[in-house]
Amino acid sequence: CRMRFPHGRLRRSAVLVAVMAAAAATTGLVPGTADAAVSCGVTYATSQWGEDGGGFTASVDVANTGDHIAGWTLTFTFPAVTESLNSGWNANWTSSGQNVHATNVNWNANLAPNGGNSISIGFVGNETGAYPSPAAISLNGTVCTTTYSS
């Protein structure tokens, strides 16, 4: 017994649904979902010691002004080759050359939406000359609006 589909519409629909399901399973995407919209504001404040170099501390306050974030990575690049990361607090800090990465620790991984909360992290840096601030600071790949102070 052979089943007939009128004008092939049901058959095409069944094939389309099967293709979409396979694509979703392959890519990990589920129709109707999206990544969280990241929007952020950062205040980057420094305090230095030594006239011609020595070191500095940087306080980095991050406010989530977008959707809820569950897990974050903050990145920036030191503008001067003479700047380097020494140690930090309230985040897992790493650096490679001038590139700096801070990732959440367990207790500050969740950032409420629309400025519902902010995090305060910071680090100690080394410097042998001027103390320029990073040109751009990003949260989960999105450049944040940044205010600088010293």
Side-chain angles (χ1 to χ4, degrees):
C1 174
R2 188 170 153 189
M3 185 178 257
R4 296 186 140 248
F5 295 102
H7 306 290
R9 281 187 232 150
L10 291 176
R11 184 175 172 191
R12 281 191 297 264
S13 294
V15 169
L16 180 58
V17 167
V19 168
M20 289 175 58
T26 303
T27 62
L29 298 176
V30 176
T33 64
D35 290 334
V38 175
S39 176
C40 49
V42 170
T43 301
Y44 182 93
T46 58
S47 177
Q48 64 190 48
W49 60 88
E51 289 181 32
D52 292 325
F56 66 102
T57 59
S59 172
V60 185
D61 295 327
V62 182
N64 174 26
T65 56
D67 293 343
H68 175 261
I69 296 174
W72 52 266
T73 299
L74 186 87
T75 57
F76 61 88
T77 301
F78 284 128
V81 218
T82 55
E83 289 179 290
S84 62
L85 176 72
N86 187 1
S87 61
W89 56 91
N90 294 343
N92 297 307
W93 290 92
T94 60
S95 65
S96 175
Q98 292 172 252
N99 300 315
V100 179
H101 300 268
T103 57
N104 64 268
V105 290
N106 289 339
W107 56 267
N108 67 7
N110 290 305
L111 296 176
N114 302 316
N117 70 326
S118 62
I119 54 169
S120 293
I121 59 177
F123 65 92
V124 175
N126 301 312
E127 174 54 60
T128 58
Y131 295 85
S133 298
I137 299 174
S138 297
L139 181 68
N140 290 357
T142 298
V143 176
C144 300
T145 302
T146 305
T147 303
Y148 300 95
S149 65
S150 48

